[in-house]
Amino acid sequence: RTMEIESHIVGPGVLSLMEDSWRRRSDTDYLDSTMLSGAQRHWQILRRLCAMLERCCKGHELHMTSVRNENAYFSCIKDILMQESKAPIPKAPASFKPMFIVGDSHVLSFAWQFLEFDDEHFMLVPLLITGAKIWHLREDSRFYTMFSFWDKLSIIPIESPVIFLLGEIDCRDGILRSVQKGKHDSFDDALRTVVNVYLDLLVQVRKKLPSNKLFVHPVPIALPETRFLTMAMNTLLETDWSQLSMEKARVKLLRVESIFVKDVPEHPENTDALTLAKLELLPELRLDGIHMST
């Protein structure tokens, strides 16, 4: 039968990865191939699968075809998997509560990471909305990402904390095009419009999730070419009018440490795009030029 994608509910299957046994570490100091923990075996299999697929893709220039988006996601996931994990797997991962991170492809770097927050232990559960732009999540939108966004929120348990990671694709694609087409008089005008949509969205999310702690992660600023836009959007999210709106919706904007080797100019919104593009990411955060490692 025909499935209506817009109304189809994904369901709570994402929580199956919270089960403990596949991530439980061995008590032995020496681990050979038959004694590796479940997580390490999964990791090895995925890395080998990526290596095989990469060989199959070689020479086909998939980034120039109709599956360029799928190829981009594969490249991002491959780069994440090829990194050596610096953080050990906790001894009792099942005791960690889920903290959901909702957004575009930038959530992949955070997937299944463990963290301590407000004296509690959490594991980050990714809820990916492929190609999500804030603009497409406005109330009158009928774009597929809007339906996917609300579908993902429907599986979040009551009181589980949620982080929203959105806005980078708006800066990489939507804002530039809207100004070029004359839909906005300036980049500042376009940015303010998108931020207002974001703030309105958070109000609607609060109605959907009345008991959950809600957080907004700053827009990722890894891509040099659009850094003047992503940093400007983050500045707008920090303004009094944005903070007042978030406070009313009981949403907190997360603060992150500098991700650059050298200090950022005191007023990045007043700094030229070329200077911002030359800022160098910390070596441990470099991934593929668009996404950041964690």
Side-chain angles (χ1 to χ4, degrees), residues 26-53:
S26 172
D27 294 330
T28 58
D29 294 327
Y30 176 76
L31 298 175
D32 61 22
S33 59
T34 63
M35 299 164 64
L36 291 172
S37 71
Q40 291 169 316
R41 289 198 297 271
H42 278 270
W43 180 59
Q44 284 192 349
I45 292 170
L46 288 171
R47 289 182 66 166
R48 291 172 183 170
L49 180 60
C50 284
M52 181 190 70
L53 290 172

Side-chain angles (χ1 to χ4, degrees), residues 243-255:
Q243 288 300 297
L244 180 61
S245 177
M246 290 188 198
E247 184 179 344
K248 290 180 178 178
R250 292 181 287 119
V251 178
K252 292 184 178 180
L253 177 66
L254 297 174
R255 312 288 178 176

Side-chain angles (χ1 to χ4, degrees), residues 265-277:
E266 187 174 354
H267 298 287
E269 69 276 11
N270 297 326
T271 305
D272 66 275
L274 184 58
T275 299
L276 295 177

Side-chain angles (χ1 to χ4, degrees), residues 115-178:
L115 59 86
E116 185 175 342
F117 184 79
D118 282 348
D119 297 324
E120 292 188 281
H121 297 283
F122 293 96
M123 183 171 70
L124 290 171
V125 180
L127 293 181
L128 172 66
I129 296 101
T130 307
K133 293 180 184 176
I134 294 171
W135 178 248
H136 287 149
L137 302 180
R138 65 192 189 280
E139 196 168 1
D140 61 345
S141 172
R142 290 297 177 266
F143 201 66
Y144 76 94
T145 51
M146 191 271 286
F147 296 98
S148 178
F149 177 83
W150 292 108
D151 188 34
K152 294 293 193 298
L153 291 193
S154 69
I155 71 172
I156 296 176
I158 296 173
E159 297 185 353
S160 289
V162 185
I163 300 173
F164 294 96
L165 181 52
L166 297 162
E168 193 275 329
I169 300 180
D170 292 88
C171 295
R172 188 180 354 138
D173 181 48
I175 288 173
L176 286 169
R177 290 190 180 186
S178 67

